[in-house]
C-alpha cells in the first residue's frame, strides 16, 4: 500500500488552475523526486502533501488518512510522522540550532531532558553539526542551515522525510554533499524520501523514481532510466536544457515589435 | 455605476472578511490560552508569556510613565487656565484624577503599546510567514495560534491593565506637582482629595477598557502578521497597517465603552 496517494488533485489560485487532476502513488521506502521547471507546480503539490493548503478538489492520502478532509487532531498525528526540510531552512531564528532540533522532542514526547540532549546531539552529529549546536541560525552558512533543517526534520524519527529544493542556492560541492547525506540518511533510517528539485544531477543521483511535472500535470512518472530515455519532447527539452522559443532571437524581436506597436496605439 | 457598486461591494466584503478573521483568531486564541497558563499549561508557553510580559510591560514602563506625566501636566494646566477664572481651582484635582482613571490612563497606554508591541507582533509574525517558519511550525504539528499568539495575548491581558494603573499614578502625580507649584497644595492633601474624587467603578471601567484595548492590539497585530504574503516589503506594510488599524479600533472601542458606561450609569 502506498504511503502517500494523490488522487485527482486539482488546485486553483484565483480561478487559475495550478495542479490539474494529479494522480501519484509513493511507496514506502522509496525516494520520489518531483522534478519540473519553475512554475510547474511541484512546490504546490508538496504543500498539498503536507496539508499546508486547501485543494480545489481531489484527495491526498498520507498513511491511509485523507488529509484534505481529516480533523485537525488527525492532521497533527499524521504530521508527527513527517519531517520537512524547507527550501529556506525555516529555522527559528530566536532559538539556537540545538533548541531548534530539541523543540519537537520537548513538546511531543515525555523524554527526560538528558535523553533529549543526547538525541539532539545524535541528530546534529548525523548531519555533521555536532560542534555547532550552540550557534543561532543567522551564524551559519547556507549549507549548514540546510543540514540543521534536516537534523530538525529528523528529530522525531519520521517515516517520511521531505526536502524542498535542497540544493537551491548552494555551490555544486555543498549540493553534492547534501545529496550524499540524503542517501546516507535514507539508508540509515529506512524512510520514504520526497525531494522537490529542478537540479538534474541531484535528481538523478538520489531518486528511485521521478515524477516530471509540467504546467500542473505529470508528463511522466518512472524510474531514473525511464525518464532519462524518455522521448517526450518536453522532457527532452528539460533534460537537454533547450531554451523555450520565447528566448530565441526571432521570438524576442516579434515580442518587441508587438510591444512597440502597443505603445504607439496608447500614444 | 456598476464599477462603483462593485468597488463598494468588494470593500465591504474585505471588511467583513477582516472582522471574520479577527473573530476566528480570537476564538482560537481563547481556546489555546489554557496552554499558556502557569502550572496547568505548557511550561514552555508560560516561559514565552513571561518573556512577552517583560517586553510588552516592563520595557514600555518608562515610555508610558513619561507620556502620562506629560499628559498629566497638560491636562492640569489646560484645566487650571479655565477653572482659575471661575475660582474653582480645586476641580483640577477631580479633572486629572477622574480623567486619568477613566480615560487617559488606559488610552495613552493603549496607544503606546500599539506603537511599540502591536507593530512588533506584526513584524515578527510577518517575518515568520516570509521565512516559512509558520509553515515549519504547522508541519511540526504545532498550532501557530497556540505557539505564537496565545503567549502574547496572555502577556498583554496582564500587562496592559498594569501599565494603565502605572499611567494613572504617573498622570495623577504630575497633576499633584502642578497643584503644588501653582497653589502650594501639599502632596499628601492632594492625594487625599484624589482618593475622595475617584471611585472604585472609575478604576474598574478603566481596567475593562484596558483589557479590551489589549485584545484589539494583540489580535490586529498578529492577524496583520499572519496575513503577510510576499517579501520583506509586505512585512513593512503589515507593521504600518497594524499600528494604524489598532489605534483606530482602540479609539472606536473607547467610544463604545464610554457610551456603555455613560448610559448604564457606571460613569
Amino acid at each position: 500500500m502506498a504511503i502517500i496517494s494523490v488522487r485527482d488533485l486539482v488546485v486553483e489560485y484565483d480561478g487559475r488552475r495550478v495542479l490539474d487532476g494529479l494522480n501519484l502513488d509513493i511507496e514506502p521506502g522509496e525516494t520520489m523526486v518531483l522534478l519540473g521547471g519553475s512554475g510547474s507546480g511541484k512546490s504546490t503539490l508538496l504543500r498539498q502533501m503536507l496539508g499546508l493548503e486547501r485543494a480545489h478538489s481531489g484527495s491526498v492520502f498520507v498513511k491511509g488518512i485523507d488529509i484534505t478532509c481529516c480533523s485537525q487532531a488527525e492532521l497533527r498525528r499524521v504530521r508527527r510522522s513527517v519531517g520537512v526540510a524547507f527550501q529556506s531552512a525555516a529555522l527559528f531564528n530566536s532559538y539556537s540550532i540545538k533548541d531548534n532540533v530539541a523543540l519537537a522532542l520537548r513538546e511531543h514526547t515525555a523524554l527526560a531532558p538528558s535523553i533529549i540532549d543526547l538525541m539532539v546531539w545524535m541528530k546534529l552529529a548525523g548531519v555533521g553539526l555536532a560542534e555547532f549546536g550552540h550557534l543561532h541560525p543567522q551564524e551559519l552558512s547556507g549549507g549548514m542551515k540546510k543540514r540543521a533543517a534536516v537534523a530538525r526534520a529528523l528529530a522525531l524519527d519520521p517515516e517520511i522525510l521531505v526536502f524542498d529544493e535542497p540544493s537551491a542556492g548552494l555551490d555544486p560541492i555543498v549540493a553534492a554533499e547534501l545529496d550524499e547525506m540524503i542517501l546516507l540518511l535514507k539508508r540509515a533510517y529506512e524512510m520514504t524520501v520526497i525531494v522537490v528539485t529542478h537540479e538534474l544531477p541531484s535528481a538523478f543521483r538520489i531518486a528511485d523514481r521521478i515524477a516530471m511535472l509540467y504546467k500542473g500535470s505529470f508528463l511522466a512518472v518512472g524510474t531514473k532510466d525511464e525518464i532519462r530515455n524518455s522521448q517526450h519532447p518536453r522532457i527532452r527539452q528539460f533534460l537537454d536544457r533547450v531554451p523555450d522559443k520565447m528566448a530565441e532571437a526571432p521570438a524576442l524581436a516579434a515580442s518587441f515589435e508587438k510591444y512597440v506597436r502597443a505603445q504607439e496605439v496608447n500614444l | 455605476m456598476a464599477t462603483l457598486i462593485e468597488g463598494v461591494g468588494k470593500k465591504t466584503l474585505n471588511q467583513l472578511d477582516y472582522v471574520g478573521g479577527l473573530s476566528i483568531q480570537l476564538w482560537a486564541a481563547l481556546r489555546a490560552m489554557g496552554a499558556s497558563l502557569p502550572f496547568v499549561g505548557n511550561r514552555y508557553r508560560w516561559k514565552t508569556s513571561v518573556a512577552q510580559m517583560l517586553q510588552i510591560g516592563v520595557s514600555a514602563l518608562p515610555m508610558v510613565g513619561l507620556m502620562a506625566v506629560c499628559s498629566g501636566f497638560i491636562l492640569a494646566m489646560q484645566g487650571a487656565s479655565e477653572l482659575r477664572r471661575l475660582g474653582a481651582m480645586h476641580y483640577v484635582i477631580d479633572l486629572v484624577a477622574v480623567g486619568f482613571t477613566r480615560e487617559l490612563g488606559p488610552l495613552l497606554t493603549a496607544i503606546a503599546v500599539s506603537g511599540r508591541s502591536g507593530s512588533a507582533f506584526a513584524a515578527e509574525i510577518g517575518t515568520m510567514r516570509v521565512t516559512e517558519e509558520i509553515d515549519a511550525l504547522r508541519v511540526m504539528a504545532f498550532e501557530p495560534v497556540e505557539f505564537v499568539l496565545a503567549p502574547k495575548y496572555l502577556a498583554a491581558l496582564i500587562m496592559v491593565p498594569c501599565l494603565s494603573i502605572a499611567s494613572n499614578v504617573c498622570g495623577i502625580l504630575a497633576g499633584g506637582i502642578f497643584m503644588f507649584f501653582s497653589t502650594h497644595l501639599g502632596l499628601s492633601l492632594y492625594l487625599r482629595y484624589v482618593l475622595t474624587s475617584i471611585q472604585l467603578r472609575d478604576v474598574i471601567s478603566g481596567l475593562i477598557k484596558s483589557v479590551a484595548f489589549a485584545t484589539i492590539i494583540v489580535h490586529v497585530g498578529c492577524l496583520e502578521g499572519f496575513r503577510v504574503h510576499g517579501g520583506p516589503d509586505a512585512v513593512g506594510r503589515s507593521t504600518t497597517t497594524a499600528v494604524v488599524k489598532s489605534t483606530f479600533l482602540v479609539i472606536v472601542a473607547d467610544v463604545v465603552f464610554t457610551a456603555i458606561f455613560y448610559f448604564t450609569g457606571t460613569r
Side-chain angles (χ1 to χ4, degrees):
Chain A
M1 185 189 160
I3 195 161
I4 295 180
S5 278
V6 177
R7 290 282 166 267
D8 305 317
L9 186 68
V10 175
V11 175
E12 290 184 353
Y13 293 142
D14 300 325
R16 187 171 56 88
R17 193 159 281 206
V18 182
L19 296 182
D20 192 7
L22 296 187
N23 286 288
L24 180 69
D25 284 325
I26 300 174
E27 300 300 327
E30 77 169 335
T31 301
M32 171 63 80
V33 171
L34 303 175
L35 190 65
S38 304
S40 59
K42 50 192 192 307
S43 289
T44 306
L45 174 58
L46 189 74
R47 291 178 71 77
Q48 290 293 329
M49 287 178 179
L50 299 172
L52 288 173
E53 282 177 15
R54 281 196 182 168
H56 182 263
S57 64
S59 308
V60 178
F61 293 91
V62 180
K63 294 172 70 185
I65 295 170
D66 186 354
I67 60 167
T68 58
C69 60
C70 67
S71 67
Q72 283 296 314
E74 274 182 314
L75 186 59
R76 274 199 293 273
R77 211 164 37 246
V78 168
R79 279 173 170 164
R80 286 184 198 191
S81 56
V82 182
V84 186
F86 283 89
Q87 183 176 355
S88 61
L91 296 164
F92 303 118
N93 281 317
S94 52
Y95 293 176
S96 67
I97 298 304
K98 211 164 60 179
D99 288 336
N100 264 280
V101 180
L103 183 64
L105 290 166
R106 281 181 192 146
E107 302 246 1
H108 295 323
T109 69
L111 294 170
S114 57
I115 303 290
I116 291 176
D117 285 346
L118 180 65
M119 287 182 72
V120 168
W121 184 85
M122 283 169 64
K123 304 294 176 192
L124 286 173
V127 297
L129 290 177
E131 311 291 314
F132 302 96
H134 63 285
L135 296 179
H136 278 72
Q138 54 271 30
E139 297 172 277
L140 300 183
S141 69
M144 287 163 91
K145 274 185 197 170
K146 297 238 176 183
R147 281 189 281 154
V150 176
R152 187 179 69 180
L154 290 170
L156 293 175
D157 294 327
E159 290 172 60
I160 304 164
L161 186 58
V162 178
F163 293 89
D164 187 10
E165 303 276 9
S167 340
L170 301 180
D171 70 61
I173 297 168
V174 178
E177 282 172 4
L178 209 60
D179 291 345
E180 294 311 311
M181 193 187 77
I182 293 170
L183 289 170
L184 189 74
L185 289 172
K186 195 204 156 188
R187 274 200 300 274
Y189 291 90
E190 296 178 340
M191 293 173 294
T192 305
V193 178
I194 302 167
V195 182
V196 166
T197 187
H198 57 262
E199 304 274 343
L200 294 174
S202 181
F204 284 103
R205 177 77 186 109
I206 57 183
D208 292 325
R209 285 197 304 151
I210 294 174
M212 179 87 195
L213 269 158
Y214 177 71
K215 288 189 177 171
S217 301
F218 285 125
L219 292 179
V221 180
T223 61
K224 284 189 274 194
D225 290 335
E226 284 168 350
I227 298 293
R228 196 180 278 126
N229 299 325
S230 170
Q231 293 308 310
H232 190 291
R234 273 287 165 189
I235 298 177
R236 286 266 47 96
Q237 184 194 9
F238 191 83
L239 298 183
D240 299 337
R241 302 185 71 206
V242 179
D244 253 332
K245 282 201 170 61
M246 262 177 68
E248 289 172 1
L252 274 176
S255 315
F256 185 65
E257 265 177 42
K258 200 171 155 190
Y259 171 78
V260 171
R261 270 202 300 276
Q263 293 298 310
E264 281 168 356
V265 169
N266 287 339
L267 284 171
Chain B
M1 188 64 183
T3 322
L4 180 72
I5 294 168
E6 269 176 35
V8 171
K10 205 172 179 180
K11 288 256 180 210
T12 310
L13 285 176
N14 283 343
Q15 294 305 320
L16 286 174
D17 176 57
Y18 194 80
V19 173
L22 273 178
S23 312
I24 292 167
Q25 187 182 273
L26 176 62
W27 175 239
L30 288 171
R31 282 175 53 189
M33 192 84 96
S36 298
L37 295 172
F39 308 116
V40 290
N42 179 320
R43 67 192 170 108
Y44 297 106
R45 299 290 176 278
W46 171 241
K47 276 170 88 172
T48 313
S49 295
V50 172
Q52 289 292 334
M53 283 178 208
L54 294 175
Q55 213 174 326
I56 296 169
V58 179
S59 307
L61 191 58
M63 183 181 150
V64 169
L66 198 61
M67 280 170 73
V69 166
C70 294
S71 304
F73 277 128
I74 293 166
L75 188 63
M77 285 188 283
Q78 292 286 14
S81 68
E82 289 302 309
L83 292 168
R84 178 174 283 135
R85 286 192 291 155
L86 303 169
M89 271 298 275
H90 59 281
Y91 282 118
V92 172
I93 301 168
D94 296 72
L95 178 70
V96 173
V98 177
F100 255 92
T101 316
R102 281 189 203 164
E103 192 57 60
L104 273 178
L107 190 63
L108 281 176
T109 304
I111 289 169
V113 173
S114 164
R116 277 188 89 255
S117 303
S119 57
F121 298 156
E124 182 192 329
I125 297 174
T127 307
M128 288 179 80
R129 282 273 304 175
V130 171
T131 57
E132 296 182 302
E133 286 177 50
I134 295 291
D135 287 340
L137 278 176
R138 289 169 70 194
V139 297
M140 287 167 77
F142 293 111
E143 200 46 61
V145 168
E146 186 211 305
F147 196 92
V148 184
L149 194 156
K152 291 181 185 359
Y153 188 28
L154 179 66
L157 284 180
I158 294 170
M159 293 316 290
V160 174
C162 292
L163 279 175
S164 290
I165 291 169
S167 173
N168 293 344
V169 171
C170 291
I172 290 169
L173 281 178
I177 294 167
F178 170 79
M179 288 302 282
F180 176 75
F181 284 108
S182 61
T183 63
H184 304 291
L185 179 71
L187 201 58
S188 59
L189 192 58
Y190 170 81
L191 289 175
R192 211 174 306 152
Y193 285 138
V194 165
L195 289 175
T196 52
S197 62
I198 54 174
Q199 294 173 4
L200 184 63
R201 66 187 180 194
D202 297 326
V203 179
I204 289 172
S205 69
L207 291 179
I208 290 171
K209 281 183 184 179
S210 292
V211 169
F213 296 163
T215 303
I216 290 169
I217 293 163
V218 171
H219 284 280
V220 169
C222 292
L223 188 66
E224 288 301 326
F226 281 124
R227 290 195 166 191
V228 163
H229 284 287
D233 55 327
V235 178
R237 274 198 304 275
S238 78
T239 309
T240 311
T241 313
V243 177
V244 173
K245 278 187 183 170
S246 58
T247 308
F248 171 73
L249 287 174
V250 158
I251 291 168
V252 171
D254 196 9
V255 172
V256 172
F257 276 102
T258 306
I260 290 169
F261 295 139
Y262 181 83
F263 289 111
T264 56
T266 321
R267 56 187 193 274

